[in-house]
Amino acid sequence: MLDFLDLNFITSRVMPYLDRGLLMSLQLIVPAALIGGFIGVVMGVLRVFGSTAVRRITDALVAVVRGVPLTVQLMILYFGLPNLPIVKIYLSPYTAALVGFIICTSAYQSEYVRGALLSIQQGQIKAAQALGMTRWQTIISVIVPQAVRRALPGCGNEIIYLVKYSSLAYLVTCIELTGEAKVLVSRTFRPTEVYLVAACYYLAMVTAATWLLAKLEKKLAIPGFGTQK
């Protein structure tokens, strides 16, 4: 059934290209996940506990990012910013892709964090203040750690999405895994082998990320809550 697959072609031609693309994909995914996660937590906190003006501004930013397709955001960053009428901003392909992914994932992460914060009983703030803690000390030391635990499954799911939509980086000429696959197909005219191997690479990344997130969720789990696996 797999006679059409040329293993020699895959190991000698396909995998060296895709290995290079995989490295670039990881260079996009890892910092975007870390920076985007941090910004997402900060924005989530501001959307719940910030002043009225801050809440409105952050809500508006999240609404815009969630409402505009990631493809369009990348196009604006790479092709649109250099054509601004006053200050022209030039970003390298890698920088444009990374900034786009950070903006996108942080907006979605903030929504998960916001929901987790709203699920926590706000009476804990009054209880902590009664013990002498300030409002923001309570938020940072008591409320946010609980919210992060509750938001972790949703945030982990967003990281899985990040792995997959990193494949859009080639649109701004950042040649990652999908970009390398497209280049190789244009040179060899053998899309079956190339794209099947690329799919295996993505499946491996998603599987690894899922395993790591499950380990993290288990490590941060509060004993006695939920089903322990």
Side-chain angles (χ1 to χ4, degrees), residues 2-84:
L2 299 178
D3 290 341
F4 64 91
L5 293 179
D6 185 342
L7 294 180
N8 182 61
F9 171 73
I10 290 175
T11 56
S12 63
R13 292 290 304 278
V14 177
M15 293 184 67
Y17 272 88
L18 297 191
D19 286 345
R20 184 171 61 188
L22 174 63
L23 180 60
M24 177 55 69
S25 291
L26 293 175
Q27 290 175 347
L28 289 167
I29 294 167
V30 174
L34 295 176
I35 299 173
F38 175 77
I39 296 175
V41 171
V42 173
M43 290 186 65
V45 172
L46 293 177
R47 293 177 67 193
V48 175
F49 298 108
S51 64
T52 301
V54 170
R55 291 200 304 270
R56 288 179 178 176
I57 292 172
T58 51
D59 284 345
L61 290 174
V62 171
V64 170
V65 173
R66 295 176 67 195
V68 177
L70 178 57
T71 300
V72 177
Q73 296 178 42
L74 292 174
M75 294 297 184
I76 292 173
L77 288 169
Y78 188 66
F79 298 106
L81 293 184
N83 291 297
L84 291 175

Side-chain angles (χ1 to χ4, degrees), residues 17-25 166-167 174-182 197-202 205:
Y17 272 88
L18 297 191
D19 286 345
R20 184 171 61 188
L22 174 63
L23 180 60
M24 177 55 69
S25 291
S166 67
S167 61
C174 182
I175 307 302
E176 38 60 71
L177 183 54
T178 298
E180 291 286 2
K182 289 178 68 67
V197 176
C200 291
Y201 276 54
Y202 279 110
M205 282 195 290

Side-chain angles (χ1 to χ4, degrees), residues 31-206:
L34 295 176
I35 299 173
F38 175 77
I39 296 175
V41 171
V42 173
M43 290 186 65
V45 172
L46 293 177
R47 293 177 67 193
V48 175
F49 298 108
S51 64
T52 301
V54 170
R55 291 200 304 270
R56 288 179 178 176
I57 292 172
T58 51
D59 284 345
L61 290 174
V62 171
V64 170
V65 173
R66 295 176 67 195
V68 177
L70 178 57
T71 300
V72 177
Q73 296 178 42
L74 292 174
M75 294 297 184
I76 292 173
L77 288 169
Y78 188 66
F79 298 106
L81 293 184
N83 291 297
L84 291 175
I86 300 176
V87 180
K88 300 182 183 299
I89 302 174
Y90 295 90
L91 299 178
S92 69
Y94 173 80
T95 303
L98 180 59
V99 170
F101 295 153
I102 289 174
I103 292 173
C104 182
T105 195
S106 63
Y108 285 95
Q109 301 279 23
S110 75
E111 188 66 14
Y112 291 118
V113 173
R114 185 183 74 88
L117 288 169
L118 293 175
S119 71
I120 297 173
Q121 294 181 355
Q122 300 304 302
Q124 294 187 45
I125 295 179
K126 294 181 180 180
Q129 288 176 332
L131 295 175
M133 297 179 69
T134 65
R135 182 169 182 265
W136 280 103
Q137 283 178 334
T138 304
I139 292 170
I140 295 173
S141 302
V142 178
I143 305 300
V144 170
Q146 296 179 65
V148 168
R149 287 186 174 95
R150 296 188 182 189
L152 188 58
C155 292
N157 191 55
E158 176 59 25
I159 292 175
I160 300 301
Y161 281 121
L162 175 62
V163 172
K164 292 187 284 188
Y165 60 59
S166 67
S167 61
L168 296 175
Y170 80 93
L171 295 174
V172 293
T173 70
C174 182
I175 307 302
E176 38 60 71
L177 183 54
T178 298
E180 291 286 2
K182 289 178 68 67
V183 170
L184 188 57
V185 168
S186 68
R187 293 177 179 176
T188 62
F189 301 100
R190 299 178 70 169
T192 302
E193 294 99 325
V194 174
Y195 287 130
L196 279 177
V197 176
C200 291
Y201 276 54
Y202 279 110
L203 181 59
M205 282 195 290
V206 169

